[in-house]
């Protein structure tokens, strides 16, 4: 029996007879010749079935095989510069071909479908070359995130998904019943990792987070993945330094390891090649001024919406830090700016090319008195935050951290206008199927 190989390794098998297992992606019928495009998850290759070289039964199967049938193909690997596929440049001279399951008429034909139809068939749409490329970029982003943090002194420390309190905005909580008391799906692991840094110094959690966002936008999911580094003894400047190194590593890893996928997505990579530290830094107050000068209206004190973020991102060719937002725009845990108590030591990172905020973070309140006052101001239930307040009683330190949204990062690096294609099965206001 010929060896089962994966298409990505095909170059190492030129001249050998190998077996591929996969799905029929597309085919061209040329009478005596059947050109089968076969994909196996690692690549796509053209398998050529010549009537004279196979049994009549095999040729008949090659003739009748349908799109997305599962197939087992055996043949000799030939080099041919013109051969299509991924990596391309190789084809298979078929000696044997079997259909494992003959697919029914496939709902997604290689023609244009509306996005509603494609979302309804997301379980099948994922097989397309573009969706496959997006998922591979996503996996590389996740790999690079862990690689950088694991080699820069951060300890992976995961936090609960079921929580008794909110971390961000209380209006976007998913409530569930926890044996008779209400519990919420986590919005962020941050508060818990403010506790674990007191044991480990620098940590990160990485998992799904939930926001009951009632708005339909191209940047919001109700379930998304966030990586959240948290650092003891780090101020706002240190937080920005870490963010720019971290994001640059992610971008450069994708450029290096997923070049073929970026090409499949027709992503212009010149804009990504520039992404290296340092990133520009502007204050919220400067950002408001710049926006108004550009004709994008905003009043000092208001939070940015999507149009403001888009306009800000377009002013720079690298991600831009916007720091020191008015305290009232941000969550209760933000440290106050000692230079101006109206401001918080917060920072968002806005991606270029109009992709908006990809990171939110900043320095956390270290003072017991200030934290208690903020919990009162934000009308949060004090008892539920007792443990969090305790952290200011037993060895409080200046500390900072941030959260990077994986899907927003995928959208940026793949140049996708809508976040729905950045995760295998998106959860949105109007979608929980499939
Ligand atoms: O700015 P956010 O809400 O910050 C936090 O949750 C902090 N507790 C993080 C921290 O400091 N540890 O969210 C952080 C990032 C955003 O910049 C964005 O990339 C992403 O998470 N994000 C979303 N992504 C998709 N859909 C949503 N509804 C998102 N909300 C936030
Ligand atoms: Mg934010």
């Amino acid at each position: 029996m010929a060896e089962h190989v994966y298409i990505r390794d095909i170059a190492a098998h030129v001249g050998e007879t190998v077996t591929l297992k996969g799905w029929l992606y597309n085919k061209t019928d040329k009478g005596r010749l059947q050109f089968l495009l076969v994909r196996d998850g690692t690549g796509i290759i053209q398998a050529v079935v010549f009537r004279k070289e196979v049994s009549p039964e095999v040729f008949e199967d090659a003739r009748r095989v349908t799109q997305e049938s599962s197939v087992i193909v055996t043949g000799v690997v030939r080099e041919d510069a013109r051969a299509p596929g991924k990596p391309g440049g190789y084809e298979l001279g078929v000696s044997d071909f079997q259909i494992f399951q003959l697919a029914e008429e496939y709902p997604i034909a290689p023609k244009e479908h509306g996005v509603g139809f494609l979302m309804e068939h997301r379980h099948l749409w994922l097989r397309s070359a573009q969706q496959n490329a997006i998922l591979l970029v996503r996996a590389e982003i996740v790999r690079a995130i862990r690689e950088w943090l694991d080699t820069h002194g951060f300890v992976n420390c995961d936090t609960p998904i079921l929580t008794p309190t909110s971390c961000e905005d209380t209006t976007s909580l998913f409530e569930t019943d926890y044996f008779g008391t209400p519990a919420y799906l986590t919005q962020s692991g941050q508060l818990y990792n403010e506790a674990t840094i007191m044991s480990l110094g620098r940590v990160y959690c990485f998992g799904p987070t939930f926001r009951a966002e009632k708005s339909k936008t191209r940047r919001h999911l109700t379930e998304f993945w966030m990586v959240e580094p948290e650092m003891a003894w780090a101020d706002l400047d240190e937080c920005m330094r870490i963010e720019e190194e971290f994001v640059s590593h992610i971008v450069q890893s994708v450029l290096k390891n997923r070049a073929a996928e970026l090409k499949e997505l027709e992503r212009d990579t010149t804009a990504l090649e520039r992404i290296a530290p340092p990133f520009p830094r502007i204050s919220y107050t400067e950002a408001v001024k710049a926006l108004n000068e550009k004709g994008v209206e905003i009043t000092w004190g208001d939070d940015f919406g999507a149009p403001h973020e888009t306009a800000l991102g377009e002013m720079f060719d690298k991600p831009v830090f916007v720091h020191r937002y008015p305290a009232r725009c941000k969550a209760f845990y933000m440290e106050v700016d000692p230079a101006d108590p109206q401001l918080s030591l917060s920072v968002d990172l806005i991606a270029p090319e109009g992709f908006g905020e990809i990171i939110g973070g900043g320095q956390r309140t270290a003072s017991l008195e200030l934290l208690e006052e903020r919990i009162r101001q934000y009308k949060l239930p004090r008892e539920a935050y007792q443990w969090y307040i305790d952290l200011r009683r037993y060895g409080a330190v200046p500390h900072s951290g941030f959260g990077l949204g994986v899907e927003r990062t995928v959208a940026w690096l793949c140049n996708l206008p809508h976040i729905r294609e950045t995760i295998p099965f998106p959860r949105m206001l109007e979608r929980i199927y499939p």
Side-chain angles (χ1 to χ4, degrees):
M1 230 176 88
E3 191 194 350
H4 172 201
V5 305
Y6 288 95
I7 298 172
R8 90 172 136 231
D9 304 323
I10 208 75
H13 296 275
V14 174
E16 295 171 22
T17 296
V18 301
T19 293
L20 304 177
K21 297 179 179 176
W23 296 264
L24 186 84
Y25 194 56
N26 207 346
K27 86 179 218 196
T28 312
D29 183 340
K30 293 269 186 199
R32 304 174 303 135
L33 279 169
Q34 300 293 329
F35 294 99
L36 310 180
L37 266 186
V38 176
R39 58 170 194 87
D40 72 349
T42 73
I44 301 183
I45 195 168
Q46 175 166 272
V48 185
V49 191
F50 188 22
R51 189 159 56 198
K52 282 204 310 207
E53 288 172 357
V54 294
S55 71
E57 296 74 30
V58 163
F59 191 77
E60 177 51 23
D61 275 350
R63 213 193 44 73
R64 72 184 179 110
V65 68
T66 51
Q67 186 190 350
E68 288 305 324
S69 291
S70 42
V71 298
I72 303 169
V73 199
T74 300
V76 64
V77 180
R78 297 192 289 245
E79 241 171 318
D80 180 343
R82 295 158 308 167
K86 180 186 168 193
Y90 301 92
E91 64 173 28
L92 208 63
V94 175
S95 52
D96 195 19
F97 177 72
Q98 283 172 50
I99 300 172
F100 181 79
Q101 190 251 328
L102 187 69
E104 295 173 26
E105 194 184 337
Y106 199 61
I108 306 179
K111 64 166 179 158
E112 287 288 309
H113 292 278
V115 74
F117 179 88
L118 291 171
M119 290 306 295
E120 205 59 22
H121 293 83
R122 184 71 180 156
H123 52 299
L124 303 178
W125 186 23
L126 291 173
R127 302 181 190 191
S128 80
Q130 283 213 350
Q131 298 303 318
N132 170 277
I134 295 167
L135 295 184
L136 287 166
V137 171
R138 179 186 170 101
E140 176 61 18
I141 290 170
V142 171
R143 193 200 64 74
I145 284 171
R146 290 195 180 273
E147 174 181 70
W148 195 89
L149 293 168
D150 291 342
T151 55
H152 286 77
F154 289 80
V155 180
N156 182 199
C157 191
D158 287 318
T159 49
I161 287 176
L162 288 168
T163 62
T165 49
S166 79
C167 174
E168 299 298 319
D169 159 26
T170 49
T171 63
S172 67
L173 285 168
F174 276 112
E175 189 176 322
T176 175
D177 170 60
Y178 195 73
F179 308 114
T181 37
Y184 310 99
L185 299 184
T186 186
Q187 296 173 307
S188 160
Q190 176 197 321
L191 304 187
Y192 291 98
N193 272 343
E194 290 186 52
T196 66
I197 54 168
M198 310 288 180
S199 167
L200 296 161
R202 291 191 171 199
V203 304
Y204 70 94
C205 59
F206 195 175
T209 43
F210 305 85
R211 308 272 168 103
E213 306 267 7
K214 291 263 168 52
S215 57
K216 278 202 285 185
T217 82
R218 50 196 185 86
R219 290 182 187 159
H220 289 90
L221 295 166
T222 53
E223 176 180 313
F224 62 97
W225 284 67
M226 179 156 60
V227 57
E228 297 184 84
E230 191 69 26
M231 302 166 278
W233 301 105
D235 63 8
L236 184 65
D237 286 333
E238 170 71 353
C239 190
M240 290 192 261
R241 273 195 299 276
I242 294 287
E243 288 182 36
E244 65 195 359
E245 293 284 342
F246 177 61
V247 168
S248 301
H249 175 75
I250 296 167
V251 176
Q252 295 310 319
S253 297
V254 169
L255 282 171
K256 181 164 156 242
N257 301 322
R258 290 291 169 220
E261 287 70 25
L262 295 176
K263 193 163 170 232
E264 170 68 42
L265 296 166
E266 297 176 9
R267 176 56 159 121
D268 170 14
T269 54
T270 51
L272 300 179
E273 279 151 20
R274 292 194 274 274
I275 309 301
F279 296 169
R281 291 150 164 75
I282 61 169
S283 69
Y284 167 87
T285 303
E286 289 164 336
V288 166
K289 203 164 149 241
L291 284 169
N292 281 322
E293 277 165 13
K294 228 188 150 193
V296 187
E297 270 181 44
I298 176 134
T299 312
W300 196 97
D302 289 350
D303 201 2
F304 297 141
H308 307 107
E309 287 177 8
T310 300
L312 278 169
E314 283 167 352
M315 293 177 201
F316 301 90
D317 62 4
K318 284 187 192 182
V320 54
F321 288 116
V322 180
H323 55 82
R324 295 180 172 80
Y325 287 76
R328 67 175 146 109
C329 295
K330 291 291 180 189
F332 74 98
Y333 52 70
M334 294 288 185
E335 185 64 286
V336 163
D337 184 354
D340 180 350
Q342 281 196 88
L343 302 179
S344 61
L345 294 181
S346 51
V347 61
D348 282 357
L349 186 68
I350 315 281
E353 301 176 81
F355 286 94
E357 177 199 326
I358 52 170
I359 294 185
Q363 196 171 325
R364 327 302 191 186
T365 306
S367 138
L368 177 64
E369 295 70 39
L370 183 67
L371 182 63
E372 293 202 309
E373 189 189 317
R374 303 283 272 159
I375 286 177
R376 266 195 308 276
Q377 272 172 8
Y378 281 68
K379 298 192 170 55
L380 296 169
R382 195 178 179 285
E383 328 72 67
Y385 289 90
Q386 201 50 64
W387 69 269
Y388 183 69
I389 297 169
D390 264 358
L391 304 176
R392 279 73 185 165
R393 282 201 184 94
Y394 306 104
V397 295
H399 63 290
S400 300
F402 61 93
L404 169 107
V406 169
E407 291 74 20
R408 300 254 184 107
T409 309
V410 176
W412 169 38
L413 299 187
C414 292
N415 193 22
L416 303 172
H418 200 293
I419 201 165
R420 66 189 155 219
E421 291 178 42
T422 62
I423 183 165
F425 295 96
R427 298 288 170 250
M428 296 177 291
L429 181 58
E430 281 164 351
R431 178 158 302 279
I432 197 169
Y433 176 92

